[in-house]
Amino acid sequence: MKKKSVNLITAVGVLVVLSGAYVGVKAYVAKQEAADTESAEEENPEIISIASADVKSIKFVIDKKEVTFEKDGDSWVKSDETGFPVDQDKIDTLVSSLNSIKAERTLENVEDASEYELDQPDNTITVTTEDGETTVIQLGMENDSTSQEYIDLNKDSSTVYVVSNSTFSSFEGTLYDFAKSGVFPTVDSSTVSKISVDGKDSSYVVEKDKNNFWNITGDGETEKADSAKATSLASTLSSVAYASYVNYNCAEDELSQYGLDKPYAEITVDYQEKVEKESTDDENEAENGDEEVSEASGDENQTDENADSETDGSESLDEDADSETDGNESPDEDADSETDGSESPDEDEDSETDGYESSDEDVDVADTEDSEAVENENTDETADDNVEAEDTDVTESDDEAGVETTDTESAESSEDSEPETEMVDRELVIQVGDQSSDGGRYVRVNDSNEIYTISEDSLDAFLGKTNADFWDLTVSYLSANNLDTLDVNYGGEDYIVNVSRETSEDENVETSNNETEDEDTTDSTSSDVVDGNDVEGNAADDNTSSGDLTGEDTENTDDSSSTASTTSSTSVTLSYTLNGKDLDSTTFTTFYNKLINMTAQKRLTDEFKSNTDPEMTVKFTDIDGNEMEVEYYSYDTNYYAAVINKKVYLVNKMTVKELFQAFETVTGEKEENENAETTDPETNASTDNDETETTEASEDAEE
């Protein structure tokens, strides 16, 4: 027991010693880190600390000239040229770089400033603060191996500081690196309708026709353009951007130094731009709105005034609602007074008043006649006074009407709040001048005084092209829907394909449950009438049939409900004959698709003459009587020449061979040739037997 106690005391003592050692080591490490930090701060002292808000002006060398930017209110301006478009963010960036600059090394007691090229500094930065204090920073030699730069402060070269060579990188560049550049106009390629290029090397016009197809005009001739190539050219406009800013205010006599007095080329683009529609007359619109409100208010007042004469109960607000609540009008007086109610309001009022005195025994009869009278009255008033369909909606309460009106006004207000837009015609003119030092060309857009450069890669899509670059290489296209006859000469034989058309029209009723909809609408309308007069008992049943609806009610029902919509689809079936005999449609269309989708590799611009007749001649005649003829000649080992309207297309030879084979299938020649090449199966069988017998005889002889 004593031995265990001694061991425990020893262990506790060791633990105390170790804990003390840990605390001591930790304190030492913290002290050492603080010392290192203090040493680092001493080694990298802050040599420049200028708050951005205190800077009044800053001057430094740009393009070997001293340029001063100074604060004018909250904006920076070029002191000697206030119209210069200063890039505010750029100047703010270089000013903020002076907030805190630390030296990585400090060289003291320097005797020869030229050793660090500070006798002829690369740049001198002069910063003047609001209180008039000036700081001069001279930038000397850069040490590429250490990525450092030597500077001095306030022209005291006896002390040289070594800083990172990126410290003053924001002060580098040309004058227009500190200018706010414009942006090349945004062009939606889908709205481009015409692109004209007038250049020293070539000129052409790519333009859409009235059917929205691209055409190419060059050398005085206009023909169909390749849609993909023309669209690609228009799409290039969306990627064009300025490369560099050259001159913000170029005078006319300065254009020659950029080659823009006599441009190398001029590109003109016609397109459209969506803009916010200008308001015509807001005051008139407001007045019209007030008039509409006044008219609505007036209608309500008129409703109140005519409550006694109105018998349908659809717009009554006070007396009419009360007087017609029970609908207890005398059976005899009711019909007469209701019929003439529109002409004599006084009598109508009297008759309705008398209705309160009618006995309870006549309620059912009065209710039924009342509903019918109300409907007849609606019909008469509609015919005479052009009352709108809502007069029949007698169940609509004032509150519901107010909600609908509010919703309508809210929707109209929402629509009015969205700005209206319209498409306006625009023209973009790009004048292209000489080549620039940055690998582009000088340009001026829309006669602006600003000069920029654009990379030649962007301009190459427009320049150096000819009309031939946009030719459509489709040889002969005519939809089968527009084909009337096809005359083909192949292998010295003439063939004629006639197209017949059979039109059929199918009617399809898209809306189902039409009867259910009509019934629902009828029930609803009749119920409206009943509810409007607060009729109880069997009166509702008496008014539920569609026969009780007036002509106007039926018309309103048709308008308000979803009626059956009948759509007719017209289909045209094409059939073909070859030399008067029926022709399989699939066989013909296989050939015809190859024919009209024939695409050339290129167009032959030289004169073409052939000493042989064409291998195939095809003449298209469309349903309007227009004709088009194409001839296929063997050109060389790679191409066939397809000649149409004096245009020569060079088509892959294998593609034309496939066309010929497809036509042989149409005429049946291919099948005949295949049959001729195939030996009769019976002959083959006989031959096989002979060979077998000969073999057996030979084997017997050997035995």
Side-chain angles (χ1 to χ4, degrees):
M1 185 68 182
K2 184 178 180 181
K3 185 177 181 180
K4 290 183 177 180
S5 299
V6 172
N7 290 338
L8 180 59
I9 294 172
T10 303
V12 172
V14 172
L15 180 60
V16 171
V17 171
L18 292 175
S19 298
Y22 171 75
V23 173
V25 170
K26 186 176 180 180
Y28 173 78
V29 171
K31 184 177 181 180
Q32 189 64 35
E33 288 179 351
D36 292 342
T37 302
E38 184 178 354
S39 176
E41 291 177 352
E42 292 178 355
E43 291 180 359
N44 299 313
E46 186 176 63
I47 58 175
I48 300 175
S49 178
I50 304 174
S52 299
D54 295 337
V55 178
K56 174 62 178 176
S57 67
I58 185 166
K59 178 173 64 175
F60 56 100
V61 177
I62 303 177
D63 297 333
K64 298 181 180 180
K65 295 180 181 179
E66 284 190 338
V67 177
T68 301
F69 297 100
E70 61 183 8
K71 260 302 183 54
D72 182 13
D74 294 330
S75 301
W76 292 100
V77 296
K78 190 169 178 284
S79 60
D80 60 340
E81 195 176 5
T82 57
F84 185 83
V86 177
D87 188 332
Q88 303 296 317
D89 293 337
K90 184 81 173 181
I91 304 301
D92 285 339
T93 298
L94 60 88
V95 168
S96 63
S97 68
L98 304 174
N99 294 162
S100 179
I101 298 177
K102 295 182 179 181
E104 296 180 358
R105 282 195 302 149
T106 302
L107 307 178
E108 298 180 349
N109 301 319
V110 176
E111 297 181 356
D112 187 5
S114 63
E115 184 178 352
Y116 305 102
E117 297 182 1
L118 289 168
D119 56 331
Q120 295 179 343
D122 184 59
N123 202 340
T124 299
I125 303 170
T126 303
V127 184
T128 304
T129 59
E130 293 287 352
D131 57 8
E133 184 178 348
T134 301
T135 301
V136 180
I137 309 167
Q138 292 190 137
L139 309 184
M141 181 182 69
E142 287 190 22
N143 189 333
D144 294 332
S145 60
T146 61
S147 299
Q148 293 176 324
E149 186 175 19
Y150 300 95
I151 69 169
D152 65 20
L153 297 178
N154 298 322
K155 298 184 179 181
D156 180 10
S157 299
S158 62
T159 301
V160 176
Y161 302 96
V162 182
V163 298
S164 171
N165 61 0
S166 62
T167 303
F168 299 99
S169 59
S170 57
F171 291 84
E172 299 173 356
T174 65
L175 177 61
Y176 279 87
D177 288 327
F178 300 93
K180 183 67 174 179
S181 174
V183 180
F184 188 83
T186 301
V187 177
D188 183 354
S189 60
S190 65
T191 67
V192 174
S193 59
K194 182 179 179 181
I195 301 175
S196 304
V197 178
D198 184 9
K200 293 182 178 179
D201 296 336
S202 64
S203 299
Y204 61 88
V205 177
V206 180
E207 184 176 12
K208 284 182 179 178
D209 59 18
K210 61 182 181 180
N211 296 319
N212 217 33
F213 292 116
W214 287 103
N215 293 318
I216 176 68
T217 301
D219 300 330
E221 295 184 358
T222 299
E223 59 180 283
K224 184 179 178 181
D226 186 293
S227 177
K229 293 179 180 178
T231 302
S232 176
L233 183 68
S235 299
T236 303
L237 291 164
S238 61
S239 61
V240 176
Y242 294 132
S244 61
Y245 200 179
V246 178
N247 194 329
Y248 83 96
N249 189 20
C250 181
E252 289 294 326
D253 57 357
E254 296 176 328
L255 292 174
S256 59
Q257 60 182 299
Y258 306 111
L260 291 168
D261 55 332
K262 298 178 180 179
Y264 170 74
E266 186 169 279
I267 304 169
T268 304
V269 181
D270 293 345
Y271 67 102
Q272 287 190 319
E273 182 181 15
K274 181 185 289 187
V275 299
E276 186 174 337
K277 191 174 183 181
E278 296 181 358
S279 59
T280 54
D281 191 348
D282 294 338
E283 293 182 358
N284 289 339
E285 291 179 0
E287 291 175 0
N288 292 336
D290 293 337
E291 289 175 2
E292 291 177 0
V293 173
S294 299
E295 290 175 2
S297 178
D299 291 340
E300 293 178 357
N301 295 334
Q302 185 68 27
T303 300
D304 294 336
E305 293 175 0
N306 297 331
D308 295 335
S309 62
E310 298 274 345
T311 62
D312 58 358
S314 61
E315 296 180 357
S316 62
L317 299 177
D318 299 318
E319 290 185 3
D320 191 48
D322 295 333
S323 63
E324 292 185 2
T325 299
D326 298 327
N328 295 329
E329 299 174 336
S330 60
D332 298 332
E333 294 178 358
D334 177 79
D336 296 335
S337 62
E338 292 291 347
T339 303
D340 301 330
S342 60
E343 299 177 359
S344 57
D346 295 334
E347 293 178 3
D348 184 29
E349 182 177 357
D350 295 336
S351 65
E352 290 181 354
T353 303
D354 295 337
Y356 287 103
E357 300 174 358
S358 62
S359 64
D360 296 335
E361 296 176 356
D362 298 328
V363 169
D364 293 342
V365 177
D367 291 341
T368 303
E369 293 178 354
D370 179 48
S371 298
E372 294 176 354
V374 168
E375 293 173 6
N376 293 333
E377 183 67 13
N378 289 342
T379 304
D380 296 337
E381 288 180 1
T382 302
D384 297 336
D385 303 327
N386 296 324
V387 177
E388 294 183 352
E390 59 264 20
D391 289 340
T392 62
D393 298 334
V394 295
T395 62
E396 182 179 11
S397 65
D398 297 338
D399 293 339
E400 292 174 345
V403 170
E404 292 182 1
T405 304
T406 303
D407 292 341
T408 303
E409 293 176 353
S410 176
E412 293 176 353
S413 176
S414 176
E415 292 177 358
D416 293 341
S417 64
E418 297 180 0
E420 295 184 7
T421 59
E422 61 180 345
M423 300 299 291
V424 297
D425 294 333
R426 294 280 191 253
E427 184 180 70
L428 172 67
V429 180
I430 309 171
Q431 292 180 326
V432 183
D434 295 339
Q435 292 181 326
S436 58
S437 58
D438 62 359
R441 282 185 176 274
Y442 296 109
V443 298
R444 181 168 73 147
V445 176
N446 294 338
D447 292 330
S448 170
N449 292 331
E450 297 181 343
I451 308 298
Y452 296 90
T453 65
I454 293 180
S455 67
E456 283 199 289
D457 290 340
S458 298
L459 296 173
D460 282 346
F462 303 92
L463 306 180
K465 305 293 183 181
T466 64
N467 58 327
D469 293 309
F470 298 96
W471 280 340
D472 181 19
L473 295 179
T474 302
V475 177
S476 54
Y477 181 85
L478 177 64
S479 172
N481 294 326
N482 296 324
L483 179 66
D484 184 38
T485 60
L486 187 73
D487 295 86
V488 182
N489 181 280
Y490 179 67
E493 298 290 334
D494 290 328
Y495 304 88
I496 181 170
V497 177
N498 290 288
V499 184
S500 300
R501 291 168 173 79
E502 182 178 350
T503 303
S504 60
E505 186 169 325
D506 298 329
E507 292 187 356
N508 298 318
V509 178
E510 295 183 353
T511 304
S512 61
N513 300 326
N514 187 43
E515 296 178 358
T516 303
E517 291 179 359
D518 290 341
E519 291 174 0
D520 292 343
T521 306
T522 303
D523 293 342
S524 174
T525 306
S526 302
S527 178
D528 287 346
V529 176
V530 172
D531 294 339
N533 294 279
D534 199 15
V535 178
E536 298 178 359
N538 296 329
D541 297 334
D542 294 337
N543 289 281
T544 55
S545 65
S546 59
D548 291 338
L549 292 174
T550 63
E552 182 67 15
D553 293 332
T554 305
E555 191 173 4
N556 291 337
T557 300
D558 293 339
D559 291 339
S560 62
S561 63
S562 299
T563 59
S565 59
T566 302
T567 59
S568 60
S569 59
T570 302
S571 60
V572 178
T573 303
L574 302 180
S575 58
Y576 310 93
T577 60
L578 176 64
N579 292 340
K581 296 181 179 180
D582 290 341
L583 178 60
D584 179 67
S585 296
T586 302
T587 302
F588 175 74
T589 54
T590 300
F591 157 72
Y592 193 72
N593 285 335
K594 291 181 180 293
L595 178 64
I596 63 175
N597 291 311
M598 188 71 67
T599 304
Q601 261 63 44
K602 55 184 176 179
R603 280 260 298 269
L604 189 66
T605 55
D606 298 333
E607 184 179 1
F608 172 75
K609 289 183 179 181
S610 177
N611 296 325
T612 61
D613 293 333
E615 293 188 22
M616 175 181 278
T617 301
V618 181
K619 184 174 73 172
F620 301 81
T621 303
D622 66 15
I623 56 179
D624 294 326
N626 301 313
E627 295 181 351
M628 175 176 60
E629 185 174 279
V630 55
E631 299 174 326
Y632 287 93
Y633 297 87
S634 179
Y635 183 74
D636 58 20
T637 56
N638 297 317
Y639 297 107
Y640 265 86
V643 181
I644 178 172
N645 296 330
K646 297 182 180 180
K647 299 173 185 175
V648 182
Y649 299 86
L650 297 184
V651 187
N652 183 281
K653 200 159 193 173
M654 292 303 298
T655 305
V656 179
K657 287 291 186 183
E658 291 176 0
L659 174 70
F660 293 167
Q661 291 174 2
F663 187 70
E664 290 173 1
T665 302
V666 172
T667 61
E669 292 182 14
K670 183 177 181 180
E671 184 177 354
E672 293 176 0
N673 293 335
E674 290 176 351
N675 292 336
E677 294 175 357
T678 304
T679 308
D680 185 8
E682 295 181 358
T683 304
N684 288 341
S686 175
T687 303
D688 292 341
N689 292 335
D690 291 342
E691 290 178 353
T692 302
E693 292 175 358
T694 302
T695 303
E696 292 176 352
S698 176
E699 291 177 352
D700 293 341
E702 289 178 358
E703 292 177 357

